Amino acid sequence: MTGVAAAMTVGLVGCGNNKAASSGSSAPPANTKVGILLPDTASSPRWVSADPTELKAQCAANKLTCYIDNANNSATTQQSQAQALINQGVGVLLVVNLDSGSGKAIEALAQQHNVVTIDYDRLTAGGTASYYVSYDNVKVGEDQGTALTQAPQVKGKSAVNYVEIDGAATDNNATLFAQGYNSVLSKQPGWKKLADQSGNWDAATAQTVFTTMLGQHPNLNAVMVANDTMAQSVINVLKSQGLAGKVAVSGQDATAGGLDNVMAGTQAFTIYKPVAGEADVAIKLAAQILAGQKPTAPTTVKDPTSGREVPSYLADPTVITKANVALPVTDGYVTAAAVCPTPALVKVCAANGIKMP
């Protein structure tokens, strides 16, 4: 467990108001079933490996029976999965929505069957989740913006031309990331935004969008791109024009490819959000809810649609540059084998403090 996850989990312990549930002599909860709805397999590797692995480990540690489903980017599939999990008798449902409309419908269905819902990673606008567990996503965006201004390709320049490739409009996190980085970049003297478009968390879309942007604005100095998956597409386009490493490119998610690009100098940074900061907290929270407790969250986040203050647990992100590129590997978030899959990369990794086991 990372330090940030440990700190957040400590905030959960003993905060229920059910004395019997929190006493050492209480019987195990009648229901130990938790359903977990993940969104897709393409927007980020985290939904394929990091999150499922950590969620399974935490479910075992908390003696819970967890069912993990991935919707493969289909809201219809996710709704069917939710119905099936409710039919199986889950007491708590973790939801990573594909869009707030379908997420809201899932949470309404759960509520009808007395199933408690937790928004995991993404807030469901207009939803009814009892809790929200995520990272401080405005701060993620602020960190992205600040780190981009410190990239060697642009640091100290009196004039910087940049474009933005945002996440999916259906994802509230993408809105919060943009809010964060726009609040930083809009105040930078000499920085001029030439274009701004969604890449929809999709590699192919991001490649098409950026190819058009670069064709229209060949004098780019920086690209504010919302995550590593789309950043890879931007870097591929820059490579084709002999510009990779000459234009500052941002990222997020600390993927193996993102870390490789940071080491190569083609990506200025990525944002590391240890999955334990969400998974450990969410599963501990689910365990307490199933035990009859009503934990008090340390903060709230305002639902942009309903105005409801949603009880929330938010962790702080970490900016990863070449200086600390080994951190996600030493933490166990991503394996050295994934980051260093070839002999050439093994050498690069070793030079950056990442050693093969």
Side-chain angles (χ1 to χ4, degrees):
M1 181 187 297
T2 64
V4 71
M8 291 180 70
T9 304
V10 167
L12 285 166
V13 176
C15 53
N17 63 1
N18 187 317
K19 292 181 180 179
S22 61
S23 66
S25 60
S26 62
N31 189 345
T32 60
K33 295 180 179 181
V34 177
I36 301 170
L37 298 173
L38 302 181
D40 62 73
T41 59
S43 66
S44 173
R46 66 173 291 187
W47 304 125
V48 179
S49 53
D51 285 78
T53 299
E54 185 68 16
L55 287 163
K56 287 175 186 175
Q58 289 304 307
C59 288
N62 285 276
K63 298 181 172 56
L64 299 177
T65 302
C66 294
Y67 306 94
I68 303 177
D69 290 331
N70 191 300
N72 290 310
N73 205 36
S74 167
T76 301
T77 297
Q78 189 169 71
Q79 288 178 304
S80 297
Q81 290 169 339
Q83 180 68 71
L85 290 169
I86 291 169
N87 291 344
Q88 284 181 278
V90 299
V92 174
L93 190 63
L94 271 61
V95 181
V96 189
N97 70 66
L98 280 162
D99 61 82
S100 285
S102 61
K104 179 180 176 180
I106 287 170
E107 292 176 357
L109 178 67
Q111 194 173 47
Q112 290 169 16
H113 291 82
N114 298 314
V115 175
V116 176
T117 52
I118 299 172
D119 276 336
Y120 184 79
D121 190 65
R122 300 172 184 171
L123 182 70
T124 300
T128 53
S130 296
Y131 296 95
Y132 172 45
V133 177
S134 189
Y135 274 77
D136 184 336
N137 293 309
V138 174
K139 189 175 189 304
V140 169
E142 290 170 348
D143 285 354
Q144 286 179 301
T146 300
L148 187 63
T149 66
Q150 299 302 308
Q153 296 92 338
V154 295
K155 188 175 181 180
K157 279 183 174 288
S158 58
V160 174
N161 292 320
Y162 73 101
V163 295
E164 289 182 7
I165 299 180
D166 305 315
T170 54
D171 180 358
N172 188 61
N173 281 1
T175 300
L176 299 178
F177 299 148
Q179 178 184 329
Y181 52 70
N182 282 322
S183 72
V184 173
L185 298 180
S186 64
K187 298 173 185 174
Q188 294 301 308
W191 280 61
K192 183 179 181 181
K193 180 162 66 175
L194 303 179
D196 185 350
Q197 193 170 336
S198 171
N200 207 36
W201 296 137
D202 179 68
T205 301
Q207 181 167 327
T208 300
V209 167
F210 182 66
T211 298
T212 299
M213 286 178 170
L214 186 61
Q216 294 173 341
H217 309 288
N219 59 336
L220 284 180
N221 306 113
V223 187
M224 180 68 252
V225 55
N227 77 347
D228 290 353
T229 298
M230 298 190 298
Q232 184 64 66
S233 295
V234 169
I235 291 166
N236 291 343
V237 174
L238 290 171
K239 280 181 179 176
S240 72
Q241 301 299 313
L243 296 172
K246 298 177 183 179
V247 175
V249 178
S250 70
Q252 181 191 178
D253 284 341
T255 65
L259 297 176
D260 286 338
N261 290 333
V262 169
M263 289 188 289
T266 54
Q267 185 171 322
F269 66 89
T270 186
I271 301 291
Y272 176 36
K273 299 182 295 184
V275 70
E278 293 181 331
D280 294 19
V281 174
I283 297 303
K284 182 67 175 180
L285 181 59
Q288 292 188 314
I289 292 167
L290 290 171
Q293 300 178 44
K294 294 183 180 179
T296 301
T299 189
T300 63
V301 169
K302 188 173 184 178
D303 184 320
T305 298
S306 68
R308 180 172 70 102
E309 294 291 341
V310 185
S312 301
Y313 296 83
L314 305 178
D316 288 328
T318 300
V319 177
I320 299 294
T321 64
K322 285 192 74 170
N324 62 345
V325 72
L327 180 61
V329 179
T330 56
D331 268 3
Y333 176 79
V334 63
T335 65
V339 181
C340 324
T342 67
L345 279 171
V346 167
K347 291 182 180 179
V348 173
C349 285
N352 286 275
I354 302 175
K355 294 180 171 45
M356 298 298 292

